[in-house]
Amino acid sequence: MSQALEIGINPADVARNRAVGAGLVNDPYPVYDRLRETGPVQRGAISQAFGVPGPEASGPWADRPQFACYDWATADAVLRDAQTWSSRWYEPTLEPFVGNSIIQMDEPEHRRYRALIQPAFTLREMERWRERWIEPAAHALIDAFAARGRAELYMELCARLPVQTIASSFGIPVADVPHFHQLTVAMVGVTNAGSERLQAAREIAEYLDRIIAERRAAPQDDLISLLLGVEIPAEDGTRARLDHDEILAFARLLLPAGAGTTYRALGTLLLALLRDPGQLEAVRADRKLLGPALEECLRWEQPLTAVSRLATRDTELAGVAIPEGAVMHVCLAAANHDPARWEDPHRFDLRREPRPHLTFGSGPHLCVGMHLARMELRTSMNAILDRLKALRLDPDAEPPIMTGLLFRMPSAVPVRFEP
Amino acid sequence: MTEPRIRIDRERCMGSGVCQFWAPATFGLDDDCKSVVVDPQGDPEAAIQHAVDGCPTRAIEVEKCNTN
């Protein structure tokens, strides 16, 4: 019986983790295997297959026929075909709070808007992100506990670094980040009361409005200044600046997106390596292994396990008839464990040769933050390996577990090291 | 001798940089945030194939052509 786990850095985070299955589902992979073996397309939402409440199965689309896919080829195909599989699924649960953001747009509108921020998130830009925001944040967070000889890394480092990074890129001072974190999580938690989400969204807007006004007067090299300066081409070729609502929508999407996923991925990576001291030592001794370790961990246990789409027309997928308006849940985590693509897929093995996986999605909505996520993971791990000697799981603490359904996360990462 | 020829469809390319991630010595991004071939043999064939497979819009084609 799963214990009632309380995981989170603030009350909104604890509630969110519970809503996404923390403490309810610990090992989903045997169930995914069974579903995948039955056929490439299944009826029913993913949480229904587990008999747990799931945010993705409830809400405004609950009366539509629900389907799900659990294998690599089908999942990849759905995500690449944005004409058939619309992202408007996200509109009812996000637009009232975040605004009309790229996560819910279809083509050609989606491409035009995404193109505005893509240049800020390229691989080449990541050096600047690392230098300006990621590395200073990682070391400051480690400074707080380095002399102590022990820490709960999941809360003291993993939960803080990504939100601090993205918030800094928006010009939010470090001191304000914890409050901001609570607001962003409250805003996107679909099981929260609408009024609570609206209040959080409004408070974020008020705060960002102050920064927007400052940057209008004096642009800096950051995301708000970028959003103020870009021009978006319309279909008739004319160009215009983004309006206030459009800028807010970008910000209110990127802040929780940046905060919520890399946080869990970093905790998972630490737990995976700490459970296997041999692999941890190999990486510490040869940092060239860090890239493959990181990539394998993203495949093996990813922070966000599923995305959803709406069928724009009557269609067929892997021989199954899908009516227009039906919901398709794409189980990325099951696809990443497809034995047709990876041998012994449930095993974390950094010596596996990396190959494309679905952790960041596929098709036009491929995660715009993926290079940033990898840079945060890499930079944090390097800082940890450099500074925390004899790092090991705390033998006196409860052994941590991996848990969650829609999101996956460690229950904790309690460690000891040489002070 | 076989030399791979890599073609990038600039209309399809969305500048995600997936190709650069899998084959960093082969692909770059230009100032329009479009993928460009820096060195068609910059990375091992397998890495270039990952870049082709990973491209979110299938904008990359690799042809092998014979040169004498």
Side-chain angles (χ1 to χ4, degrees), chain A residues 47-101:
Chain A
S47 54
Q48 286 165 347
F50 286 83
V52 298
E56 93 289 10
S58 58
W61 308 117
D63 60 338
R64 301 289 181 93
Q66 309 278 327
F67 294 87
C69 54
Y70 298 91
D71 71 278
W72 166 267
T74 312
D76 192 46
V78 168
L79 295 177
R80 287 177 180 276
D81 182 3
Q83 305 299 105
T84 307
W85 302 104
S86 165
S87 291
R88 280 191 57 245
W89 185 87
Y90 289 95
E91 198 179 277
T93 49
L94 288 182
E95 184 166 355
F97 317 102
V98 169
N100 181 25
S101 72

Side-chain angles (χ1 to χ4, degrees), chain A residues 76 80 110-111 114-115 118-119 121-124 295 341 353-357 362-366 370-371 374, chain B residues 10-18 20-22 29-31 33-34 46 50-58:
Chain A
D76 192 46
R80 287 177 180 276
H110 168 260
R111 156 100 53 137
R114 179 186 166 126
Q118 179 68 74
F121 289 91
T122 60
L123 251 182
R124 199 167 56 183
E295 215 56 34
R341 186 166 173 85
E353 202 220 305
R355 57 195 312 209
H357 51 70
S362 186
H365 284 269
L366 182 71
M370 71 175 167
H371 302 302
R374 288 183 175 118
Chain B
R10 288 175 68 86
E11 281 284 303
R12 284 191 174 206
C13 176
M14 59 186 248
S16 71
V18 168
Q20 242 191 315
F21 172 74
W22 290 107
L29 277 184
D30 67 15
D31 290 339
C33 214
K34 296 282 183 183
H50 289 333
V52 171
D53 294 341
C55 173
T57 55
R58 300 218 193 280

Side-chain angles (χ1 to χ4, degrees), chain A residues 130-193:
Chain A
R130 181 176 64 79
E131 203 179 15
R132 290 177 77 187
W133 295 312
I134 307 173
E135 211 155 49
H139 284 287
L141 289 166
I142 293 174
D143 286 344
F145 55 73
R148 208 196 295 146
R150 65 183 199 295
E152 206 289 79
L153 290 180
Y154 192 43
M155 288 296 111
E156 297 190 61
L157 180 62
C158 308
R160 296 170 197 250
L161 179 101
V163 67
Q164 213 167 287
T165 300
I166 196 76
S168 298
S169 76
F170 275 95
I172 297 163
V174 172
D176 294 350
V177 170
H179 181 56
F180 230 84
H181 196 181
Q182 158 79 15
L183 289 177
T184 56
V185 178
M187 177 179 65
V188 297
V190 297
T191 52
N192 296 339

Side-chain angles (χ1 to χ4, degrees), chain A residues 275-287:
Chain A
R275 274 174 169 174
D276 188 339
Q279 299 203 65
L280 176 67
E281 269 322 296
V283 176
R284 184 198 293 280
D286 180 5
R287 301 302 170 88

Side-chain angles (χ1 to χ4, degrees), chain A residues 187-203:
Chain A
M187 177 179 65
V188 297
V190 297
T191 52
N192 296 339
S195 54
E196 187 193 335
R197 300 181 66 188
L198 266 177
Q199 178 55 34
R202 279 194 197 117
E203 220 185 301

